[in-house]
Amino acid sequence: MDVIVIGGGIAGIATAYQLRAAGHRVCVIERHATAAQGATYGHSGVVLPSPLDVWFGPTFMRHRLGAKNGVLRKTGFNRAASSFVRRLNVLHAPTEFSQQYDRLRPLIETAREAMTDIESRFSLEFEQASDLLYLVRGAQEWKLTEPALDLLRQYEIPHQVLSAAQCVELEHAVPAEPDFAGGVRLATERTANCPLFTKLLKLVLDAQGGVQFHFGREVTGLRLESSHAAVELAPRPDEAQRSREVEVIRADAIVIAAGTGSLPLLERHGVRLPLHPLRLHTLVAPIAHEECAPHRTVIDAIKRIAITRMNHRLRIAGAAVLQSAIQTSKPLDPALFEEALALLGQATHDWVPGAAKISAALPWQGVKLLSPDGLPAVGKILHPRLFMNAGHGPAGWGLACGTAKVIAALVSGTTPEVPADTLAALQPERFLPA
Ligand SMILES: Cc1cc2nc3c(=O)[nH]c(=O)nc-3n(C[C@H](O)[C@H](O)[C@H](O)COP(=O)(O)OP(=O)(O)OC[C@H]3O[C@@H](n4cnc5c(N)ncnc54)[C@H](O)[C@@H]3O)c2cc1C
């Protein structure tokens, strides 16, 4: 079959790879000049979503104060944003949290296997490292991590639960004062460079053939018919004056893997999914004092701020700003931007003081799509020839190689590797009225 993939982030490129591996001819359309320029660019490197860092559950957005939970919530009275938060809050309950993680887990395993397969098949090097240390400040928050610790045990994910003193002994960068509740080490879990992997995989596809890339082209509309599907393209900047004819590319199927750009494409067909855009920030700071730099990735498990060493720099990522979708599509208020960066700076100061030169850090912000039940939207939507692979929230790096495999199976008409209840929980149409 001929398949169009809209989006050249990790989800789009991984989907193109799996579709090609399944024998299809693929055409990737990306509005930027190259791959990995959207949310994929801003990764914090953590390959998992472990039970400790999924963006739902007992510890996620528990407090109203951004300084306490790492999410600056500025939704005002926007109904869609408030309803999004209310739906996520349902997953604060330990039972709901565990059930939702149970549904996600097979996808995590598929994703991990698919990434390892690509990595070894093409001998890719993308700054892989292992060893994560999750830290928790307060005793009450530590108690709230219990359901996540239960899941680590249940899934036999190798981990060590550590007292504060043991954390300090293990990771010399973490200060003993002020006291904190404890930490969890996942020594075998990994960090790696997501945009680098995406670009290397694109090069693999270039070398293999069978995948065409159209960079610098924006999809403005979808045409869905019984015999074929097609996308409409915006004119190239130099064409705008010359031609009024809409350029169209036809195929047998279309996969929307366009990150936050997925929603407007569907809305033009009357489909409104309750996925919500969330702005995130990174600081990339030079190492200030080598003797203070962490030897492993340190993660504030409550604020979900990850501090990862990459070469001579620290990459500090998190500080979400939750606003209405309209506000998120506009430039961020400078005061709020400063507040977000201050959260990242503070987390660095708290957990690895002296390690990074924050005053010389390069800031970045990007928007990712989060679903109100924490799981991505992966599967058929609206029409038999239309598929979606988006809404991975904070875990697109960890999940995309797996969701791509699911999509390739669905497009090919074969049975995806994940169990039926996981597949049902991923269906984008789960959000539509029955
Ligand atoms: C700061 C930050 C830290 C993160 N840390 C982690 C982490 O540690 N671990 C993890 O697993 N995940 C992490 N994530 C999440 C992960 O990066 C995202 O889930 C993932 O990159 C999403 O990939 P994507 O391909 O769906 O979206 P994107 O990378 O946004 O790609 C979508 C692409 O579609 C293109 N596009 C959109 N509309 C159109 C259109 N109409 N026509 C043509 N092209 C279009 C866009 O230009 C874009 O390039 C993080 C995200 C951020 C922002």
Side-chain angles (χ1 to χ4, degrees):
M1 286 195 342
D2 288 311
V3 187
I4 293 170
V5 175
I6 308 171
I10 179 64
I13 300 293
T15 302
Y17 172 80
Q18 295 296 352
L19 285 167
R20 185 67 200 126
H24 303 291
R25 284 177 303 270
V26 185
C27 164
V28 176
I29 303 173
E30 164 56 53
R31 62 184 167 199
H32 285 293
T34 180
Q37 297 301 296
T40 298
Y41 187 78
H43 76 112
S44 52
V46 181
V47 177
L48 280 171
S50 84
L52 287 162
D53 57 13
V54 284
W55 283 44
F56 58 88
T59 61
F60 184 56
M61 286 210 294
R62 195 70 194 200
H63 300 280
R64 283 205 72 81
L65 281 181
K68 283 199 157 188
N69 68 24
V71 181
L72 300 170
R73 206 189 301 180
K74 307 284 176 186
T75 55
F77 293 105
N78 182 272
R79 264 186 41 205
S82 306
S83 130
F84 174 77
V85 173
R86 269 199 307 279
R87 288 171 81 163
L88 262 178
N89 285 352
V90 171
L91 296 164
H92 280 157
T95 311
E96 274 71 10
F97 164 62
S98 303
Q99 285 171 350
Q100 197 64 335
Y101 189 80
D102 285 343
R103 293 181 192 110
L104 181 62
R105 187 69 205 172
L107 179 65
I108 295 172
E109 276 156 19
T110 302
R112 182 182 303 222
E113 280 162 26
M115 189 189 288
T116 311
D117 179 61
I118 293 170
E119 185 178 356
S120 56
R121 200 179 280 261
F122 305 105
S123 306
L124 300 186
E125 292 291 334
F126 44 103
E127 300 190 299
Q128 303 96 318
S130 50
D131 209 351
L132 312 179
L133 179 62
Y134 292 82
L135 298 169
V136 179
R137 175 70 61 195
Q140 209 185 346
E141 293 158 337
W142 183 244
K143 214 170 157 30
L144 290 174
T145 61
E146 266 308 324
L149 299 183
D150 287 344
L151 286 167
L152 288 173
R153 284 187 282 271
Q154 180 189 324
Y155 284 104
E156 298 178 358
I157 299 169
H159 68 283
Q160 290 165 271
V161 178
L162 305 172
S163 66
Q166 287 169 318
C167 292
V168 172
E169 194 182 343
L170 170 75
E171 177 49 70
H172 74 118
V174 174
E177 298 288 336
D179 195 18
F180 58 100
V184 184
R185 182 187 191 192
L186 304 187
T188 52
E189 299 302 347
R190 301 204 298 169
T191 55
N193 187 326
C194 176
L196 179 57
F197 176 87
T198 308
K199 284 167 188 277
L200 292 174
L201 192 54
K202 192 249 166 201
L203 290 176
V204 165
L205 294 172
D206 283 339
Q208 282 184 340
V211 180
Q212 282 177 30
F213 290 93
H214 294 272
F215 286 111
R217 302 306 310 268
E218 179 170 10
V219 173
T220 50
L222 311 172
R223 293 185 187 176
L224 301 165
E225 288 165 25
S226 57
S227 58
H228 69 272
V231 295
E232 296 172 1
L233 298 181
R236 295 174 206 270
D238 57 333
E239 278 175 355
Q241 301 301 324
R242 275 190 268 135
S243 162
R244 284 178 177 268
E245 210 169 295
V246 176
E247 191 179 341
V248 170
I249 302 182
R250 280 169 215 280
D252 299 302
I254 299 172
V255 181
I256 303 178
T260 50
S262 306
L263 297 186
L265 289 170
L266 289 167
E267 279 165 16
R268 271 168 229 152
H269 288 264
V271 178
R272 294 188 79 88
L273 295 179
L275 305 180
H276 201 82
L278 197 65
R279 198 186 302 263
L280 262 101
H281 296 84
T282 58
L283 284 176
V284 178
I287 300 285
H289 300 287
E290 191 58 52
E291 60 278 25
C292 301
H295 290 167
R296 54 189 55 69
T297 291
V298 170
I299 301 170
D300 185 314
I302 304 301
K303 296 183 187 165
R304 286 159 170 81
I305 294 176
I307 304 170
T308 302
R309 179 166 190 167
M310 287 189 165
N311 293 318
H312 299 296
R313 301 189 173 272
L314 279 194
R315 187 172 185 93
I316 307 137
V321 177
L322 177 62
Q323 297 174 293
S324 69
I326 297 236
Q327 282 170 316
T328 308
S329 66
K330 296 178 188 162
L332 186 62
D333 172 60
L336 207 43
F337 182 54
E338 287 308 317
E339 208 181 323
L341 297 189
L343 266 184
L344 297 180
Q346 187 62 47
T348 314
H349 176 74
D350 288 348
W351 293 118
V352 291
K357 205 168 176 189
I358 295 294
S359 58
L362 290 177
W364 183 86
Q365 52 175 295
V367 179
K368 61 188 185 182
L369 258 193
L370 188 62
S371 76
D373 62 12
L375 304 194
V378 182
K380 208 175 270 185
I381 176 132
L382 181 70
H383 190 274
R385 295 185 183 274
L386 185 63
F387 300 81
M388 177 174 188
N389 184 7
H392 306 79
W397 176 211
L399 295 178
C401 290
T403 57
K405 248 191 137 172
V406 171
I407 289 287
L410 292 172
V411 170
S412 309
T414 57
T415 308
E417 278 173 23
V418 295
D421 60 338
T422 296
L423 200 57
L426 298 174
Q427 283 296 319
E429 291 183 349
R430 70 189 185 273
F431 295 119
L432 301 180

